[in-house]
């Protein structure tokens, strides 16, 4: 997920883009949630989802299939989509927010 101020360069779990780097190009780097103008409730939910996601990985064998059953993936996706919508709404039109997940298995 990435969020960026639309007018001033770029701001993402979540990746963020910041204004221009050394060569005049936007750079992507992690964003501290405390720096985003969002409610404590949304911030707490994003942290909870990030922590929950960590349990989807078999840390003894990370390339192995996820230990989560399909139902847990479905629940996680629904809650992640809800949090994403809240983030977009709270940041408003002055921000460009992208969901860039690549691993939604189950």
């Amino acid at each position: 997920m990435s969020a960026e101020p639309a007018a001033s360069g770029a701001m993402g779990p979540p990746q963020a883009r910041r204004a221009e780097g050394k060569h005049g190009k936007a750079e992507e780097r992690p964003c501290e949630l405390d720096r985003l103008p969002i409610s404590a409730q949304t911030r707490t939910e994003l942290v909870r989802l990030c922590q929950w996601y960590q349990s989807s990985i078999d840390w003894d064998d990370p390339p192995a299939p996820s230990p989560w059953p399909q139902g847990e993936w479905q629940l996680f996706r629904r809650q992640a989509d809800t949090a994403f919508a809240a983030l977009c709404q709270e940041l408003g039109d002055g921000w460009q927010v992208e969901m860039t997940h690549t691993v939604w298995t189950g």
Side-chain angles (χ1 to χ4, degrees), residues 14-97:
Q15 291 292 316
R17 293 183 197 162
R18 276 281 183 213
E20 295 182 359
K22 292 185 227 179
H23 304 289
K25 296 180 182 177
E27 295 179 346
E28 290 193 23
R29 57 184 172 218
C31 177
E32 298 166 12
L33 286 175
D34 291 339
R35 297 183 67 174
L36 294 174
I38 58 176
S39 68
Q41 179 180 353
T42 297
R43 185 175 295 109
T44 299
E45 179 64 358
L46 292 172
V47 168
R48 184 188 72 81
L49 288 166
C50 288
Q51 291 170 342
W52 183 17
Y53 180 78
Q54 296 302 307
S55 71
S56 75
I57 300 167
D58 177 352
W59 290 105
D60 292 328
D61 186 10
S66 173
W68 283 6
Q70 176 127 5
E72 188 161 4
W73 274 112
Q74 291 170 342
L75 179 61
F76 179 81
R77 284 192 293 264
R78 282 194 306 272
Q79 292 183 18
D81 287 344
T82 299
F84 178 74
L87 176 66
C88 293
Q89 181 178 358
E90 289 185 27
L91 289 175
D93 293 336
W95 291 73
Q96 177 182 345
V97 182

